Amino acid sequence: MTTEATTTATGTPGAEHDEGTVLQQIATMLRELPDAGLDDAEITRETLFHDDLELESIDLVALAGSLREHYGERVNVALFIADLELDEIIALTVGQLVDYVAESLRAAERG
């Protein structure tokens, strides 16, 4: 399901852009990744994709697909990752992705 509106189920305009909401949505998507085994994982802004979650590159591709399905064209994780060096990708935190997604949503709203 693609969500294009900027109003969440709570009816709060712009709440979709809130980092806390985005963190919750990304954590849910991570837990739903097939074969990742993250059902009970604690996922915070400081959580590292590589060291803490032990995600493979295919898992990041699946997460990018989930984000695109949820947010539509407003969020392009492939472009975000493409701008990073290998050591930055290895050190990537959930919080960095949350910030990217939230800023992408705000930028899309501004036009």
Side-chain angles (χ1 to χ4, degrees):
M1 161 176 66
T2 301
T3 306
E4 293 295 333
T6 58
T7 302
T8 64
T10 63
T12 307
E16 178 182 58
H17 309 153
D18 174 75
E19 284 81 359
T21 301
V22 173
L23 174 60
Q24 181 181 28
Q25 292 168 340
I26 289 175
T28 298
M29 289 177 200
L30 285 166
R31 289 185 184 101
E32 292 174 349
L33 288 176
D35 303 321
L38 301 175
D39 297 341
D40 298 322
E42 180 182 352
I43 300 171
T44 68
R45 289 185 55 84
E46 292 76 29
T47 301
L48 295 164
F49 286 101
H50 183 264
D51 291 348
D52 297 330
L53 301 178
E54 299 179 356
L55 293 183
E56 303 287 330
S57 58
I58 191 71
D59 296 318
L60 288 177
V61 171
L63 177 60
S66 294
L67 288 165
R68 173 155 271 172
E69 183 178 318
H70 184 80
Y71 295 113
E73 300 296 319
R74 301 176 294 167
V75 175
N76 189 333
V77 176
L79 285 177
F80 172 64
I81 299 285
D83 285 340
L84 301 176
E85 299 293 328
L86 180 59
D87 59 334
E88 293 173 313
I89 294 170
I90 291 170
L92 185 66
T93 66
V94 171
Q96 289 172 292
L97 182 59
V98 166
D99 292 343
Y100 168 76
V101 170
E103 180 53 36
S104 294
L105 294 172
R106 286 190 289 266
E109 185 178 87
R110 288 189 300 264

